[in-house]
Amino acid sequence: MMPYEETVERRRFHSFCKVVLRHEMLDCFREFSYQNKWLISLNHLPQPMLDSICTTDQYPSDYTTFSVDGYALQISNERLANIIEKLSQPEQRLLILRFILELNDREIGRIMRCSRSAIQRRRTSVLLNLQKQLTGELL
């Protein structure tokens, strides 16, 4: 090849590259324009919608765990956990059986070897005590 032909080929190649890059740039602008029509910035979403798409990491250290009969009750509210911690073991067991396993009073009575009415009275008493402590009536 002669020097003149090399220069012509090089210019053609440079011209071809410029055309390709220009078309790629135009494709990018078209894509950005399309996205701008349909995409919404997270800053413009209302708070309830943001809350529904967000997640929070939860770690075992965030909970206080109470275990009874192989079942665990995890409490993230520190104040409630402190109050439940002060309950006796049978009272904690009663709450876990009722609210974690969702057993009725008769089934809890069979497990704890008490009558249904005794379980009902004890459960009502424990819940009233919890309510009073949480509302601040009892310190």
Side-chain angles (χ1 to χ4, degrees):
M1 256 195 218
M2 295 167 59
Y4 175 75
E5 289 176 357
E6 278 183 25
T7 308
V8 169
E9 286 297 315
R10 183 173 283 160
R11 285 183 183 161
R12 280 187 193 155
F13 179 72
H14 284 290
S15 177
F16 173 76
C17 289
K18 288 178 183 179
V19 169
V20 168
L21 289 173
R22 185 173 190 324
H23 284 278
E24 188 61 30
M25 179 188 69
L26 292 172
D27 286 345
C28 285
F29 284 139
R30 252 186 251 116
E31 180 65 26
F32 291 146
S33 174
Y34 174 77
Q35 287 179 0
N36 283 337
K37 288 179 186 176
W38 296 103
L39 297 179
I40 298 173
S41 171
L42 292 176
N43 295 334
H44 296 103
L45 289 177
Q47 190 61 40
M49 189 175 285
L50 278 176
D51 292 341
S52 70
I53 62 173
C54 292
T55 183
T56 325
D57 291 339
Q58 297 177 342
Y59 302 99
S61 61
D62 295 339
Y63 296 99
T64 303
T65 304
F66 300 94
S67 297
V68 171
D69 298 338
Y71 297 98
L73 170 63
Q74 292 184 325
I75 309 262
S76 60
N77 183 312
E78 194 173 328
R79 186 171 172 213
L80 178 61
N82 289 336
I83 293 170
I84 291 177
E85 195 171 46
K86 293 175 185 173
L87 295 176
S88 68
Q89 190 67 24
E91 290 172 334
Q92 290 179 9
R93 185 178 188 202
L94 174 74
L95 291 177
I96 290 174
L97 292 173
R98 178 67 181 111
F99 296 107
I100 300 302
L101 296 179
E102 298 179 357
L103 299 178
N104 62 35
D105 292 340
R106 179 167 281 129
E107 293 166 330
I108 295 171
R110 281 192 207 122
I111 293 171
M112 295 181 74
R113 300 175 191 207
C114 295
S115 68
R116 181 199 57 78
S117 59
I119 293 297
Q120 182 182 5
R121 281 192 305 274
R122 191 180 300 168
R123 179 176 45 81
T124 303
S125 170
V126 169
L127 291 176
L128 283 173
N129 187 16
L130 282 175
Q131 181 183 15
K132 286 178 184 176
Q133 288 187 41
L134 286 172
T135 57
E137 292 177 19
L138 240 173
L139 296 176

